[in-house]
Amino acid sequence: MSNNQSKIALVTGGSRGLGKDSALQLAKKGFDLIITYQTKKEAADEVVKEIENIGQKAYALPLDISSTAGFDQFVTEVKHILDTQFASGKLDALVNNAGIGINQSFETTTEETLDAMTNIHFKGPYFLTQKLLPLLNDGSSVVNTSSGLARFSFAGYSAYGAMKAAIDSLSRYQALELGSRKIRVNSIAPGAIETDFGGGAVRDSKEYNQLVSSQTALGRVGLPDDIGSVVAFLCSDDSKWINAQRIEVAGGFRI
Ligand SMILES: NC(=O)c1ccc[n+]([C@@H]2O[C@H](COP(=O)([O-])OP(=O)(O)OC[C@H]3O[C@@H](n4cnc5c(N)ncnc54)[C@H](OP(=O)(O)O)[C@@H]3O)[C@@H](O)[C@H]2O)c1
């Protein structure tokens, strides 16, 4: 049975991949969840059911992280769920996870592509977090999703990798300015993980999978459940003294 004392986490992009695993691991740690999806409502509803089967409450809301125009409405919907379904009325954790990958050379990257990467991976999380500040409890935890590609370079990821580097920097600034409210902010930097990301290349391309495995100390690519438990740890009091850190979760890729 869920209990009203549970902490509440909001995970963007919780319908699939790393966000789904993070939501499930948070539920296993006793969090109730609000997850978001962009288009795959059915997948999100399945995740809600899985969380309920773990014994926690869960709700799914649509969100387009690339468009700040919808954020006020989204925050109103989050507030409504918090006010009507939860006793505490505030969030204890925010996981900025939603995103897509593209592989395009620097030479051919268009202004539209760069704008899309900026909106999805930087501007969206920036202003969503800002707008959610009144709904975050003092002492809560924010986890931003970076990427190994912010540390090392892989041809075709100049726009994506640069935005993830920006998220690492933003996380430190947020940690500095939100510390007065005891809000911790960290970024998690997954390596290449077998999800639908980037057309599922890490999972579906044997060549790419082997290339990444051969450059990883632990000799394989990542799986979603390599990541969610770390996100859940960063959202919990188990990590209460970890703040303003970039934590790479990549099995030792290109070290
Ligand atoms: N997989 C990797 O190798 C890897 C490595 C490093 C970092 N990351 C980062 O990890 C995060 C999650 O990636 P993933 O591998 O889990 O990807 P995924 O399996 O493709 O899942 C993407 C999730 O984001 C949502 N989403 C996509 N575009 C959105 C938008 N414009 N607005 C709101 N939600 C949107 C999707 O919703 P729908 O289901 O409704 O489409 C889905 O829930 C991303 O930030 C990615 O950059 C991934």
Side-chain angles (χ1 to χ4, degrees):
M1 288 287 290
S2 52
N3 94 50
N4 286 334
Q5 306 306 312
S6 291
K7 288 185 170 187
I8 308 164
L10 170 58
V11 179
T12 67
S15 49
R16 290 185 283 139
L18 307 186
K20 173 182 175 178
D21 191 64
S22 299
L24 294 176
Q25 296 296 336
L26 280 159
K28 285 180 188 162
K29 268 198 177 285
F31 280 78
D32 290 326
L33 271 303
I34 301 173
I35 64 166
T36 77
Y37 60 93
Q38 186 190 18
T39 55
K40 297 195 169 16
K41 181 177 187 312
E42 280 178 20
D45 288 342
E46 279 304 311
V47 177
V48 165
K49 272 189 214 146
E50 284 189 54
I51 293 167
E52 287 170 348
N53 287 338
I54 292 168
Q56 297 298 134
K57 289 187 184 181
Y59 301 87
L61 288 175
L63 169 71
D64 180 358
I65 196 67
S66 73
S67 172
T68 54
F71 286 6
D72 284 339
Q73 172 65 23
F74 175 75
V75 171
T76 300
E77 287 168 12
V78 172
K79 188 168 174 8
H80 178 73
I81 290 177
L82 291 171
D83 287 345
T84 57
Q85 307 298 326
F86 293 105
S88 81
K90 290 217 172 171
L91 298 168
D92 300 286
L94 168 63
V95 181
N96 285 306
N97 162 83
I100 59 166
I102 54 134
N103 185 294
Q104 214 171 339
S105 72
F106 171 72
E107 197 173 13
T108 61
T109 293
T110 61
E111 194 171 342
E112 286 72 26
T113 301
L114 185 64
D115 284 346
M117 286 293 102
T118 308
N119 290 338
I120 291 171
H121 289 291
F122 185 71
K123 187 177 172 186
Y126 190 107
F127 285 111
L128 187 69
T129 304
Q130 185 191 71
K131 284 185 182 288
L132 285 169
L133 282 179
L135 298 187
L136 280 173
N137 268 323
D138 288 358
S140 58
S141 169
V142 176
V143 178
N144 293 320
T145 306
S146 174
S147 166
L149 290 162
R151 175 178 64 84
F152 48 77
S153 311
F154 223 88
Y157 288 103
S158 62
Y160 174 87
M163 285 309 128
K164 292 303 196 181
I167 273 295
D168 287 334
S169 175
L170 172 64
S171 301
R172 288 189 293 274
Y173 277 96
Q174 289 172 324
L176 183 66
E177 295 195 21
L178 302 179
S180 56
R181 289 185 52 195
K182 310 297 179 207
I183 294 175
R184 296 182 296 117
V185 186
N186 295 289
S187 63
I188 184 164
I193 316 285
E194 286 190 8
T195 67
D196 296 334
F197 179 82
V202 181
R203 181 191 57 217
D204 301 336
S205 159
K206 206 172 168 193
E207 199 182 31
Y208 190 34
N209 191 300
Q210 278 173 355
L211 175 71
V212 172
S213 301
S214 70
Q215 296 181 15
T216 303
L218 293 180
R220 63 169 176 84
V221 303
L223 298 170
D225 81 348
D226 291 321
I227 304 299
S229 56
V230 184
V231 171
F233 164 72
L234 288 173
C235 290
S236 77
D237 288 343
D238 293 345
S239 62
K240 63 183 185 297
W241 201 233
I242 298 180
N243 194 20
Q245 299 304 301
R246 173 186 188 274
I247 301 188
E248 196 164 306
V249 191
F253 183 71
R254 287 194 179 172
I255 44 179

